Amino acid sequence: MIKVASYNMRKSIGTDRRRRPERTLQVLCEINADIIALQEADRRFGARDAVLTSHLLAEHGDWKPVLFGMRARSMGWHGNALLIRRDAEVLNCEVIHLPSLEPRGAVVADIRLRGQVTRVVGMHLDLSGLWRRRQAHAVIAHLNASAQHPPTVLMGDLNEWSAGSGCLRDFAQHFTFAATGKSFHARRPMARLDRIMVTPNLTIQACGVHESLNARTASDHLPIWAELHPA
């Protein structure tokens, strides 16, 4: 079994408008997932520095970032990042360039953890429904074109407010959604913007939204999580 989580951490700016990376890490420690997809993990301007520095990760958690090598001081790609257990092995990693009007991308990595290989995709899709569908098609096409098809989990902020149309309908043709629940807005959740999806060779044993006091103040999104077993 592996536990995965997805969190739009909003550059560690909380609902109190304070940037507190340590609080973000406290939330991640509460969830205690093996693999975490982060969105808005880098600062927006300048060198796009990672908000969660290697020093903070070493002090507060049992994770290391997957290094995609796109920017020297960034954790991921267009704010998307993956954290994995320190004893996990990265077999392969790459970025997916997504069609968009503003900078958007996704990250993908094959991770070996406790003898199990899992492909993980992290993404943050567009505010526009038309572009979200184009981006969903790009992610699906990228995975379909792969020579290997290990058990795969896709996670991220899809920005989809509908119950089952738009990009959700596109993804549902290939993946099963975890019934995690409403994650936005953190203070009063009204929408399921954040999603976890898996291929048929993974079984969702449990899932949910993490609603601690820290989580309700650390970002405008609540983290979501799922426990997965090979089917």
Side-chain angles (χ1 to χ4, degrees):
M1 186 273 287
I2 62 168
K3 185 175 185 180
V4 300
S6 180
Y7 191 22
N8 184 331
M9 54 179 276
R10 200 193 184 194
K11 309 171 190 66
S12 288
I13 300 174
T15 53
D16 57 2
R17 299 184 181 180
R18 297 180 180 178
R19 188 192 301 276
R20 294 180 56 190
E22 295 85 355
R23 182 170 55 186
T24 301
L25 282 164
Q26 287 173 358
V27 173
L28 297 182
C29 288
E30 291 170 359
I31 302 168
N32 196 31
D34 299 307
I35 300 173
I36 304 167
L38 298 173
Q39 301 87 51
E40 299 192 26
D42 299 327
R43 292 176 183 265
R44 185 173 183 180
F45 301 108
R48 307 291 177 92
D49 291 14
V51 175
L52 302 180
T53 64
S54 57
H55 176 72
L56 282 173
L57 285 172
E59 278 193 345
H60 294 274
D62 185 34
W63 303 283
K64 61 184 179 182
V66 175
L67 301 177
F68 295 94
M70 301 305 293
R71 291 190 177 96
R73 295 162 64 177
S74 171
M75 183 182 289
W77 173 241
H78 290 311
N80 294 287
L82 297 176
L83 296 181
I84 60 175
R85 294 291 188 192
R86 293 193 179 277
D87 59 348
E89 180 184 1
V90 181
L91 303 179
N92 181 56
C93 65
E94 56 186 327
V95 301
I96 306 174
H97 296 267
L98 298 182
S100 61
L101 291 176
E102 58 180 7
R104 294 279 177 176
V107 293
V108 56
D110 291 347
I111 308 298
R112 179 183 285 125
L113 179 64
R114 295 190 287 273
Q116 178 180 340
V117 176
T118 306
R119 179 164 291 166
V120 184
V121 179
M123 69 188 89
H124 188 182
L125 301 190
D126 206 278
L127 295 173
S128 159
L130 174 62
W131 286 103
R132 279 197 301 273
R133 296 199 67 185
R134 291 174 177 173
Q135 291 161 2
H137 292 162
V139 171
I140 294 167
H142 184 92
L143 295 176
N144 286 342
S146 175
Q148 298 179 330
H149 300 277
T152 301
V153 54
L154 297 83
M155 301 185 281
D157 179 359
L158 302 192
N159 265 320
E160 181 60 70
W161 288 78
S162 71
S165 59
C167 71
L168 300 183
R169 183 180 300 160
D170 301 322
F171 281 123
Q173 296 177 27
H174 305 270
F175 310 103
T176 299
F177 283 84
T180 49
K182 298 175 180 178
S183 57
F184 183 84
H185 186 279
R187 287 188 171 176
R188 183 176 293 183
M190 300 175 60
R192 298 186 180 193
L193 301 188
D194 304 281
R195 298 281 184 158
I196 295 174
M197 304 168 278
V198 300
T199 47
N201 47 10
L202 281 175
T203 299
I204 302 165
Q205 294 293 107
C207 62
V209 177
H210 185 71
E211 298 187 70
S212 70
L213 179 60
N214 277 331
R216 285 194 288 269
T217 56
S219 170
D220 57 350
H221 287 247
L222 293 170
I224 58 174
W225 59 271
E227 294 177 353
L228 309 176
H229 286 260

